[in-house]
Amino acid sequence: MKKKILITGGAGFIGSHVVRRFVSKYQNYHIYNLDALTYAGNLENLKDIESENNYTFLKGDINDEALINEIFKKYKFDSIIHLAAESHVDRSISEPLLFAKTNILGTMILLNAFKNLWKDNWRDKLFYHISTDEVYGSLKETGLFTESTPYDPNSPYSASKASSDHFVRAYGETYKMPFVITNCSNNYGGFQFPEKLIPLFINNILNNKSLPVYGDGNYTRDWLYVVDHARAIDLVFHNGVNKETYNIGGFNEWKNIDLVRLMCRQLDIKLSRIVGTSEKLITFIKDRPGHDLRYAIDANKIHKDLGWEPSVTFEEGLSKTIDWYLSNKTWLENTTSGKYKDYYTSQYKS
Ligand code: NAD
Ligand code: DAU
Protein backbone atom coordinates (compact mmCIF):
# COMPACT_ATOMS: atom_id res chain seq x y z
CA MET A 1 0.00 0.00 0.00
CA LYS A 2 1.34 3.41 -0.95
CA LYS A 3 1.45 6.01 1.81
CA LYS A 4 -1.12 8.73 1.06
CA ILE A 5 0.16 12.24 1.59
CA LEU A 6 -1.99 15.33 1.31
CA ILE A 7 -0.12 18.50 0.34
CA THR A 8 -2.29 21.62 0.58
CA GLY A 9 -1.48 24.70 -1.48
CA GLY A 10 0.60 22.62 -3.89
CA ALA A 11 -0.19 24.85 -6.88
CA GLY A 12 1.42 27.87 -5.21
CA PHE A 13 5.04 28.93 -5.13
CA ILE A 14 6.63 26.80 -2.36
CA GLY A 15 3.96 24.09 -2.58
CA SER A 16 4.73 23.39 -6.24
CA HIS A 17 8.41 22.81 -5.40
CA VAL A 18 7.42 20.47 -2.55
CA VAL A 19 4.92 18.54 -4.70
CA ARG A 20 7.47 18.17 -7.52
CA ARG A 21 10.12 16.90 -5.09
CA PHE A 22 7.84 14.37 -3.38
CA VAL A 23 6.22 13.07 -6.60
CA SER A 24 9.58 12.62 -8.35
CA LYS A 25 11.50 11.21 -5.39
CA TYR A 26 9.02 8.95 -3.62
CA GLN A 27 7.37 6.35 -5.82
CA ASN A 28 6.08 4.66 -2.64
CA TYR A 29 3.94 7.70 -1.83
CA HIS A 30 0.81 8.88 -3.53
CA ILE A 31 0.73 12.69 -3.44
CA TYR A 32 -2.65 14.45 -3.34
CA ASN A 33 -2.41 18.18 -4.04
CA LEU A 34 -5.41 20.05 -2.63
CA ASP A 35 -5.60 23.64 -3.83
CA ALA A 36 -8.41 26.18 -4.33
CA LEU A 37 -6.49 27.84 -7.19
CA THR A 38 -6.79 31.36 -5.85
CA TYR A 39 -4.93 34.14 -7.73
CA ALA A 40 -1.71 32.59 -6.33
CA GLY A 41 -2.39 29.01 -7.40
CA ASN A 42 -1.30 28.06 -10.88
CA LEU A 43 -1.39 24.54 -12.29
CA GLU A 44 1.14 25.59 -14.94
CA ASN A 45 3.64 25.30 -12.07
CA LEU A 46 3.22 21.51 -12.11
CA LYS A 47 2.94 20.73 -15.81
CA ASP A 48 6.04 18.52 -15.76
CA ILE A 49 4.67 16.08 -13.18
CA GLU A 50 0.89 16.32 -13.65
CA SER A 51 0.58 12.99 -15.46
CA GLU A 52 2.71 10.95 -13.03
CA ASN A 53 0.71 8.02 -11.67
CA ASN A 54 1.57 8.78 -8.03
CA TYR A 55 0.01 12.27 -8.28
CA THR A 56 -3.60 13.49 -8.02
CA PHE A 57 -4.81 17.10 -8.09
CA LEU A 58 -7.91 17.89 -6.02
CA LYS A 59 -9.47 21.31 -6.52
CA GLY A 60 -10.94 22.44 -3.22
CA ASP A 61 -11.09 25.14 -0.61
CA ILE A 62 -9.83 24.34 2.90
CA ASN A 63 -12.60 26.62 4.22
CA ASP A 64 -15.27 24.26 2.85
CA GLU A 65 -15.75 21.96 5.84
CA ALA A 66 -18.19 19.56 4.16
CA LEU A 67 -15.90 19.09 1.18
CA ILE A 68 -12.82 18.60 3.37
CA ASN A 69 -14.59 15.99 5.51
CA GLU A 70 -15.74 14.17 2.37
CA ILE A 71 -12.23 14.19 0.85
CA PHE A 72 -10.64 12.94 4.07
CA LYS A 73 -13.20 10.14 4.34
CA LYS A 74 -12.61 9.13 0.74
CA TYR A 75 -8.79 9.18 0.63
CA LYS A 76 -7.82 8.51 4.27
CA PHE A 77 -4.57 10.47 4.17
CA ASP A 78 -1.74 9.20 6.36
CA SER A 79 0.00 12.57 6.58
CA ILE A 80 -0.56 16.19 5.71
CA ILE A 81 1.92 18.85 4.67
CA HIS A 82 -0.09 22.04 5.04
CA LEU A 83 1.02 25.01 2.93
CA ALA A 84 -2.31 26.44 1.70
CA ALA A 85 -2.62 30.00 2.95
CA GLU A 86 -3.07 33.59 2.02
CA SER A 87 0.60 34.54 2.04
CA HIS A 88 1.09 38.19 1.05
CA VAL A 89 1.48 40.76 3.84
CA ASP A 90 0.26 43.67 1.67
CA ARG A 91 -2.96 41.83 0.80
CA SER A 92 -3.48 41.07 4.50
CA ILE A 93 -3.50 44.80 5.18
CA SER A 94 -6.32 45.39 2.69
CA GLU A 95 -8.22 42.12 3.37
CA PRO A 96 -7.53 40.98 6.96
CA LEU A 97 -10.70 38.90 7.35
CA LEU A 98 -9.81 36.67 4.41
CA PHE A 99 -6.49 35.92 6.12
CA ALA A 100 -8.22 35.00 9.38
CA LYS A 101 -10.64 32.78 7.49
CA THR A 102 -8.18 30.79 5.39
CA ASN A 103 -5.14 30.77 7.62
CA ILE A 104 -6.87 30.18 10.95
CA LEU A 105 -10.24 28.57 10.25
CA GLY A 106 -9.04 26.71 7.16
CA THR A 107 -6.19 25.20 9.19
CA MET A 108 -8.64 24.25 11.96
CA ILE A 109 -10.95 22.55 9.47
CA LEU A 110 -8.02 20.41 8.28
CA LEU A 111 -6.92 19.63 11.85
CA ASN A 112 -10.45 18.65 12.76
CA ALA A 113 -10.95 16.43 9.72
CA PHE A 114 -7.61 14.70 10.46
CA LYS A 115 -8.60 14.21 14.12
CA ASN A 116 -12.00 12.79 13.18
CA LEU A 117 -10.44 10.44 10.64
CA TRP A 118 -7.88 8.80 12.95
CA LYS A 119 -9.31 9.48 16.44
CA ASP A 120 -6.70 7.86 18.77
CA ASN A 121 -5.02 5.77 16.12
CA TRP A 122 -2.01 8.03 15.44
CA ARG A 123 0.64 5.44 14.50
CA ASP A 124 2.68 6.67 11.49
CA LYS A 125 0.52 9.76 11.07
CA LEU A 126 1.73 13.37 10.90
CA PHE A 127 0.33 16.87 10.55
CA TYR A 128 3.19 19.03 9.25
CA HIS A 129 2.38 22.74 9.40
CA ILE A 130 4.42 25.14 7.25
CA SER A 131 4.76 28.52 8.91
CA THR A 132 6.79 31.69 8.81
CA ASP A 133 9.44 33.61 10.76
CA GLU A 134 7.04 36.58 10.78
CA VAL A 135 5.22 35.09 13.79
CA TYR A 136 8.16 36.26 15.94
CA GLY A 137 7.59 39.92 15.05
CA SER A 138 10.38 42.36 14.31
CA LEU A 139 14.02 42.44 15.41
CA LYS A 140 16.09 45.55 16.02
CA GLU A 141 19.59 45.78 14.51
CA THR A 142 20.92 42.69 16.34
CA GLY A 143 19.73 39.27 17.51
CA LEU A 144 18.19 36.25 15.80
CA PHE A 145 14.84 34.44 16.02
CA THR A 146 15.27 31.07 17.76
CA GLU A 147 12.60 28.41 18.29
CA SER A 148 11.99 29.81 21.78
CA THR A 149 11.54 33.46 20.75
CA PRO A 150 8.07 34.54 21.98
CA TYR A 151 5.46 35.11 19.30
CA ASP A 152 4.85 38.82 18.62
CA PRO A 153 3.17 39.17 15.21
CA ASN A 154 2.50 42.62 13.74
CA SER A 155 0.54 42.17 10.50
CA PRO A 156 -2.83 40.48 9.95
CA TYR A 157 -0.89 37.89 7.90
CA SER A 158 1.61 37.08 10.66
CA ALA A 159 -1.10 37.17 13.34
CA SER A 160 -3.15 34.64 11.35
CA LYS A 161 -0.13 32.37 10.87
CA ALA A 162 0.78 32.66 14.58
CA SER A 163 -2.76 31.68 15.49
CA SER A 164 -2.68 28.68 13.16
CA ASP A 165 0.62 27.54 14.75
CA HIS A 166 -1.05 27.70 18.17
CA PHE A 167 -4.00 25.61 17.00
CA VAL A 168 -1.70 22.95 15.54
CA ARG A 169 0.14 22.74 18.86
CA ALA A 170 -3.19 22.67 20.75
CA TYR A 171 -4.46 19.73 18.67
CA GLY A 172 -1.18 17.94 19.34
CA GLU A 173 -1.48 18.42 23.09
CA THR A 174 -5.23 17.86 23.38
CA TYR A 175 -5.85 15.05 20.90
CA LYS A 176 -2.30 13.59 20.77
CA MET A 177 -2.13 14.33 17.05
CA PRO A 178 1.56 14.04 15.96
CA PHE A 179 2.76 17.32 14.48
CA VAL A 180 5.78 19.34 13.48
CA ILE A 181 5.96 23.05 12.64
CA THR A 182 8.62 24.86 10.65
CA ASN A 183 9.04 28.63 10.58
CA CYS A 184 10.92 29.78 7.53
CA SER A 185 12.33 33.07 6.27
CA ASN A 186 11.68 34.76 2.88
CA ASN A 187 11.81 32.34 -0.03
CA TYR A 188 12.82 33.19 -3.59
CA GLY A 189 13.08 31.17 -6.80
CA GLY A 190 11.12 30.12 -9.87
CA PHE A 191 7.30 30.00 -9.93
CA GLN A 192 6.84 32.81 -7.38
CA PHE A 193 3.83 34.98 -8.13
CA PRO A 194 5.17 38.38 -9.25
CA GLU A 195 3.74 40.48 -6.44
CA LYS A 196 6.48 39.60 -3.92
CA LEU A 197 9.68 41.65 -3.98
CA ILE A 198 12.05 39.56 -6.10
CA PRO A 199 9.82 38.37 -8.99
CA LEU A 200 7.97 41.73 -9.06
CA PHE A 201 11.22 43.64 -9.48
CA ILE A 202 12.63 41.20 -12.06
CA ASN A 203 9.45 41.62 -14.09
CA ASN A 204 9.54 45.42 -13.73
CA ILE A 205 13.19 45.61 -14.77
CA LEU A 206 12.40 43.50 -17.86
CA ASN A 207 9.58 45.91 -18.71
CA ASN A 208 11.45 49.11 -17.78
CA LYS A 209 8.88 49.87 -15.06
CA SER A 210 9.69 51.65 -11.80
CA LEU A 211 10.92 49.61 -8.81
CA PRO A 212 8.68 50.66 -5.87
CA VAL A 213 10.86 50.40 -2.74
CA TYR A 214 8.84 50.91 0.47
CA GLY A 215 10.06 53.64 2.85
CA ASP A 216 13.82 54.16 2.85
CA GLY A 217 14.57 50.56 1.82
CA ASN A 218 16.49 49.90 5.05
CA TYR A 219 14.38 46.90 6.01
CA THR A 220 16.18 43.59 6.42
CA ARG A 221 15.05 40.10 5.43
CA ASP A 222 16.76 36.70 5.48
CA TRP A 223 16.46 35.03 2.06
CA LEU A 224 16.36 31.32 1.26
CA TYR A 225 16.33 29.61 -2.16
CA VAL A 226 13.00 27.79 -2.44
CA VAL A 227 14.61 24.50 -3.49
CA ASP A 228 16.52 24.54 -0.19
CA HIS A 229 13.24 25.08 1.67
CA ALA A 230 11.75 22.06 -0.14
CA ARG A 231 14.83 20.00 0.87
CA ALA A 232 14.33 21.09 4.49
CA ILE A 233 10.62 20.17 4.37
CA ASP A 234 11.55 16.72 3.03
CA LEU A 235 14.02 16.21 5.92
CA VAL A 236 11.65 17.46 8.62
CA PHE A 237 8.78 15.38 7.24
CA HIS A 238 10.90 12.22 7.49
CA ASN A 239 13.15 12.90 10.50
CA GLY A 240 11.56 15.73 12.48
CA VAL A 241 10.64 14.93 16.08
CA ASN A 242 6.99 15.00 17.17
CA LYS A 243 5.90 18.34 18.74
CA GLU A 244 9.08 20.11 17.66
CA THR A 245 9.46 23.41 15.87
CA TYR A 246 12.37 24.00 13.49
CA ASN A 247 13.40 27.42 12.21
CA ILE A 248 14.60 27.43 8.60
CA GLY A 249 16.67 30.26 7.16
CA GLY A 250 19.43 31.07 4.73
CA PHE A 251 22.00 32.62 7.12
CA ASN A 252 21.62 35.38 4.57
CA GLU A 253 20.45 38.84 5.62
CA TRP A 254 19.98 41.63 3.11
CA LYS A 255 18.70 45.18 3.40
CA ASN A 256 16.01 45.58 0.74
CA ILE A 257 17.84 48.40 -1.00
CA ASP A 258 21.11 46.41 -1.24
CA LEU A 259 19.23 43.40 -2.56
CA VAL A 260 17.45 45.51 -5.17
CA ARG A 261 20.78 46.99 -6.30
CA LEU A 262 22.29 43.48 -6.61
CA MET A 263 19.27 42.38 -8.68
CA CYS A 264 19.62 45.44 -10.92
CA ARG A 265 23.32 44.71 -11.48
CA GLN A 266 22.82 41.01 -12.27
CA LEU A 267 19.99 41.82 -14.67
CA ASP A 268 21.93 44.59 -16.44
CA ILE A 269 24.76 42.11 -17.08
CA LYS A 270 22.42 39.30 -18.22
CA LEU A 271 20.46 41.68 -20.48
CA SER A 272 23.64 43.27 -21.86
CA ARG A 273 22.56 46.67 -20.60
CA ILE A 274 25.06 49.24 -19.27
CA VAL A 275 25.51 48.51 -15.54
CA GLY A 276 23.54 51.21 -13.71
CA THR A 277 20.63 51.29 -16.17
CA SER A 278 18.14 49.36 -14.01
CA GLU A 279 19.07 51.17 -10.77
CA LYS A 280 17.59 54.31 -12.31
CA LEU A 281 14.18 52.62 -12.03
CA ILE A 282 14.32 52.59 -8.20
CA THR A 283 11.55 54.77 -6.71
CA PHE A 284 11.05 55.19 -2.97
CA ILE A 285 7.34 55.08 -2.17
CA LYS A 286 5.06 55.29 0.87
CA ASP A 287 5.97 52.70 3.49
CA ARG A 288 3.99 49.53 4.25
CA PRO A 289 1.90 50.15 7.42
CA GLY A 290 3.40 48.29 10.41
CA HIS A 291 6.45 47.35 8.33
CA ASP A 292 8.67 44.95 10.33
CA LEU A 293 12.22 46.31 10.45
CA ARG A 294 14.23 43.11 10.45
CA TYR A 295 13.83 39.32 10.33
CA ALA A 296 16.80 37.03 10.95
CA ILE A 297 16.68 33.32 11.63
CA ASP A 298 18.91 31.16 13.78
CA ALA A 299 18.74 27.90 11.80
CA ASN A 300 21.23 26.02 13.97
CA LYS A 301 18.71 23.55 15.38
CA ILE A 302 17.73 22.07 12.00
CA HIS A 303 21.42 22.12 11.04
CA LYS A 304 22.56 20.26 14.17
CA ASP A 305 19.61 17.88 14.58
CA LEU A 306 18.85 17.03 10.95
CA GLY A 307 22.03 18.00 9.08
CA TRP A 308 20.33 20.58 6.85
CA GLU A 309 22.04 23.61 5.38
CA PRO A 310 21.42 25.76 2.31
CA SER A 311 22.96 24.32 -0.88
CA VAL A 312 23.55 27.58 -2.76
CA THR A 313 24.94 31.00 -1.93
CA PHE A 314 22.57 33.93 -2.36
CA GLU A 315 24.41 35.25 -5.42
CA GLU A 316 24.10 31.79 -7.09
CA GLY A 317 20.47 31.37 -6.07
CA LEU A 318 19.54 34.85 -7.27
CA SER A 319 21.34 34.30 -10.56
CA LYS A 320 19.52 30.95 -11.08
CA THR A 321 16.24 32.67 -10.20
CA ILE A 322 16.75 35.50 -12.68
CA ASP A 323 17.69 32.93 -15.36
CA TRP A 324 14.48 31.03 -14.58
CA TYR A 325 12.30 34.13 -15.16
CA LEU A 326 14.25 35.01 -18.31
CA SER A 327 13.61 31.52 -19.72
CA ASN A 328 9.97 31.44 -18.64
CA LYS A 329 8.65 34.68 -20.07
CA THR A 330 5.35 33.08 -21.10
CA TRP A 331 4.74 31.98 -17.50
CA LEU A 332 5.50 35.52 -16.37
CA GLU A 333 3.19 37.06 -18.98
CA ASN A 334 0.36 34.66 -18.11
CA THR A 335 0.58 35.41 -14.41
CA THR A 336 0.80 39.16 -14.86
CA SER A 337 -2.37 39.37 -16.94
CA GLY A 338 -6.01 39.62 -15.80
CA LYS A 339 -6.79 39.78 -12.14
CA TYR A 340 -3.23 40.42 -11.10
CA LYS A 341 -3.29 43.73 -13.00
CA ASP A 342 -6.31 44.99 -11.02
CA TYR A 343 -4.51 44.22 -7.81
CA TYR A 344 -1.36 45.89 -9.04
CA THR A 345 -3.22 49.08 -9.92
CA SER A 346 -4.91 49.34 -6.52
CA GLN A 347 -1.67 48.60 -4.61
CA TYR A 348 0.49 51.15 -6.40
CA LYS A 349 -2.02 53.88 -7.26
CA SER A 350 -0.45 56.44 -4.87
P1 NAD B 1 1.45 31.20 -2.35
O1 NAD B 1 0.56 32.37 -2.08
O2 NAD B 1 2.36 31.24 -3.53
O3 NAD B 1 0.57 29.89 -2.52
C1 NAD B 1 -0.53 29.60 -1.68
C2 NAD B 1 -1.31 28.47 -2.31
O4 NAD B 1 -2.41 28.16 -1.44
C3 NAD B 1 -1.91 28.82 -3.68
O5 NAD B 1 -1.72 27.75 -4.57
C4 NAD B 1 -3.38 29.05 -3.38
O6 NAD B 1 -4.24 28.73 -4.47
C5 NAD B 1 -3.59 28.08 -2.20
N1 NAD B 1 -4.72 28.50 -1.37
C6 NAD B 1 -4.96 29.73 -0.85
N2 NAD B 1 -6.12 29.72 -0.16
C7 NAD B 1 -6.61 28.46 -0.23
C8 NAD B 1 -7.77 27.83 0.29
N3 NAD B 1 -8.67 28.51 0.99
N4 NAD B 1 -7.95 26.51 0.06
C9 NAD B 1 -7.04 25.81 -0.67
N5 NAD B 1 -5.94 26.37 -1.22
C10 NAD B 1 -5.72 27.67 -0.99
O7 NAD B 1 2.24 30.96 -1.01
P2 NAD B 1 3.74 30.47 -0.77
O8 NAD B 1 4.64 31.63 -0.79
O9 NAD B 1 4.02 29.29 -1.62
O10 NAD B 1 3.61 30.01 0.76
C11 NAD B 1 3.18 28.68 1.09
C12 NAD B 1 3.17 28.53 2.59
O11 NAD B 1 4.46 28.80 3.12
C13 NAD B 1 2.21 29.50 3.30
O12 NAD B 1 1.62 28.81 4.36
C14 NAD B 1 3.14 30.61 3.81
O13 NAD B 1 2.60 31.19 4.98
C15 NAD B 1 4.40 29.82 4.11
N6 NAD B 1 5.66 30.59 4.00
C16 NAD B 1 5.95 31.31 2.88
C17 NAD B 1 7.18 31.96 2.79
C18 NAD B 1 7.56 32.77 1.56
O14 NAD B 1 8.60 33.43 1.59
N7 NAD B 1 6.83 32.71 0.48
C19 NAD B 1 8.09 31.89 3.84
C20 NAD B 1 7.74 31.15 4.99
C21 NAD B 1 6.53 30.48 5.05
O1 DAU C 1 9.51 36.13 6.15
C1 DAU C 1 8.72 35.17 5.51
C2 DAU C 1 7.62 35.86 4.74
O2 DAU C 1 8.25 36.47 3.61
C3 DAU C 1 6.52 34.90 4.29
O3 DAU C 1 5.88 34.38 5.42
C4 DAU C 1 5.51 35.63 3.40
O4 DAU C 1 4.55 34.71 2.90
C5 DAU C 1 6.25 36.24 2.24
O5 DAU C 1 5.36 37.00 1.44
C6 DAU C 1 7.40 37.14 2.73
O6 DAU C 1 6.88 38.35 3.36
P1 DAU C 1 7.52 39.78 3.11
O7 DAU C 1 6.53 40.81 3.43
O8 DAU C 1 8.86 39.89 3.77
O9 DAU C 1 7.79 39.66 1.51
P2 DAU C 1 7.63 40.71 0.33
O10 DAU C 1 8.27 40.10 -0.87
O11 DAU C 1 6.23 41.21 0.19
O12 DAU C 1 8.53 41.93 0.82
C7 DAU C 1 9.91 41.78 1.09
C8 DAU C 1 10.44 43.13 1.56
O13 DAU C 1 10.41 44.04 0.45
C9 DAU C 1 9.59 43.78 2.65
O14 DAU C 1 10.43 44.49 3.53
C10 DAU C 1 8.70 44.77 1.88
C11 DAU C 1 9.59 45.18 0.70
N1 DAU C 1 8.86 45.51 -0.55
C12 DAU C 1 7.98 44.59 -1.04
C13 DAU C 1 7.27 44.85 -2.20
C14 DAU C 1 6.27 43.84 -2.75
C15 DAU C 1 9.09 46.71 -1.19
O15 DAU C 1 9.92 47.53 -0.75
N2 DAU C 1 8.38 46.97 -2.35
C16 DAU C 1 7.46 46.11 -2.86
O16 DAU C 1 6.84 46.42 -3.90
Side-chain angles (χ1 to χ4, degrees):
M1 275 283 277
K2 282 191 177 181
K3 204 168 177 176
K4 296 177 176 187
I5 299 172
L6 173 68
I7 299 182
T8 67
F13 166 47
I14 302 171
S16 63
H17 287 273
V18 176
V19 166
R20 174 173 300 99
R21 183 176 181 93
F22 274 68
V23 167
S24 322
K25 194 170 162 193
Y26 299 110
Q27 286 307 315
N28 54 330
Y29 296 163
H30 193 102
I31 303 301
Y32 296 84
N33 170 15
L34 173 72
D35 199 298
L37 299 183
T38 67
Y39 79 94
N42 184 352
L43 286 178
E44 273 191 52
N45 297 357
L46 290 166
K47 260 192 193 150
D48 53 332
I49 57 101
E50 69 188 3
S51 49
E52 296 297 330
N53 56 20
N54 63 338
Y55 172 72
T56 303
F57 173 68
L58 304 169
K59 184 168 185 315
D61 188 331
I62 58 169
N63 298 312
D64 183 342
E65 192 178 359
L67 175 84
I68 295 300
N69 287 337
E70 190 188 309
I71 288 177
F72 273 62
K73 224 165 143 188
K74 178 166 178 196
Y75 295 105
K76 300 192 170 45
F77 307 113
D78 298 290
S79 296
I80 300 170
I81 306 177
H82 176 38
L83 295 108
E86 289 293 338
S87 72
H88 189 191
V89 174
D90 291 326
R91 286 181 186 256
S92 83
I93 295 166
S94 46
E95 261 189 293
L97 291 184
L98 173 63
F99 280 66
K101 189 174 171 205
T102 295
N103 297 358
I104 306 174
L105 279 175
T107 300
M108 287 190 71
I109 286 170
L110 292 173
L111 286 165
N112 226 38
F114 201 44
K115 165 178 89 66
N116 291 340
L117 178 63
W118 297 113
K119 302 198 170 68
D120 299 324
N121 183 15
W122 289 120
R123 210 181 124 99
D124 294 329
K125 308 292 182 292
L126 179 67
F127 192 103
Y128 179 0
H129 182 56
I130 306 296
S131 193
T132 170
D133 61 356
E134 298 201 13
V135 299
Y136 300 122
S138 183
L139 291 164
K140 301 234 161 36
E141 298 295 330
T142 56
L144 299 171
F145 296 135
T146 70
E147 287 79 2
S148 55
T149 301
Y151 277 27
D152 189 18
N154 292 313
S155 72
Y157 164 68
S158 52
S160 68
K161 291 296 291 187
S163 175
S164 65
D165 293 10
H166 292 319
F167 274 109
V168 173
R169 203 162 280 122
Y171 269 68
E173 290 300 330
T174 309
Y175 306 109
K176 309 298 168 220
M177 178 187 290
F179 75 91
V180 279
I181 300 175
T182 49
N183 296 81
C184 187
S185 61
N186 285 59
N187 284 218
Y188 68 95
F191 298 111
Q192 186 169 30
F193 191 82
E195 67 179 5
K196 308 270 175 87
L197 183 74
I198 290 184
L200 174 71
F201 280 29
I202 293 173
N203 190 42
N204 284 10
I205 291 170
L206 289 177
N207 293 296
N208 282 309
K209 285 170 75 175
S210 74
L211 305 177
V213 173
Y214 296 157
D216 59 6
N218 283 317
Y219 294 90
T220 301
R221 298 289 181 266
D222 170 271
W223 293 91
L224 179 68
Y225 189 47
V226 64
V227 173
D228 283 331
H229 189 187
R231 284 175 50 240
I233 290 172
D234 185 346
L235 262 182
V236 172
F237 179 77
H238 290 98
N239 302 326
V241 173
N242 182 26
K243 296 187 181 184
E244 289 291 321
T245 285
Y246 299 88
N247 281 353
I248 307 173
F251 302 101
N252 175 44
E253 283 184 53
W254 284 81
K255 282 204 162 138
N256 290 344
I257 190 63
D258 297 334
L259 163 52
V260 170
R261 291 203 171 109
L262 176 66
M263 247 192 296
C264 288
R265 193 184 152 73
Q266 284 201 358
L267 265 150
D268 281 346
I269 294 168
K270 287 178 195 289
L271 296 170
S272 307
R273 293 179 181 171
I274 296 166
V275 173
T277 308
S278 301
E279 263 199 52
K280 294 195 184 113
L281 297 169
I282 295 175
T283 316
F284 293 94
I285 66 159
K286 200 163 127 274
D287 213 345
R288 169 186 281 176
H291 201 165
D292 285 334
L293 177 67
R294 176 170 166 258
Y295 305 144
I297 280 271
D298 178 347
N300 276 307
K301 178 175 170 182
I302 187 170
H303 176 59
K304 278 206 214 107
D305 291 3
L306 304 181
W308 175 88
E309 60 187 5
S311 68
V312 292
T313 65
F314 185 58
E315 283 77 359
E316 284 163 359
L318 185 62
S319 173
K320 278 173 184 252
T321 301
I322 293 173
D323 290 344
W324 188 89
Y325 287 96
L326 292 178
S327 334
N328 287 278
K329 287 204 177 130
T330 313
W331 182 93
L332 205 47
E333 278 154 24
N334 289 349
T335 48
T336 49
S337 61
K339 220 168 170 200
Y340 173 74
K341 278 193 177 150
D342 300 341
Y343 164 74
Y344 191 94
T345 314
S346 75
Q347 178 64 17
Y348 296 109
K349 62 178 177 282
S350 57

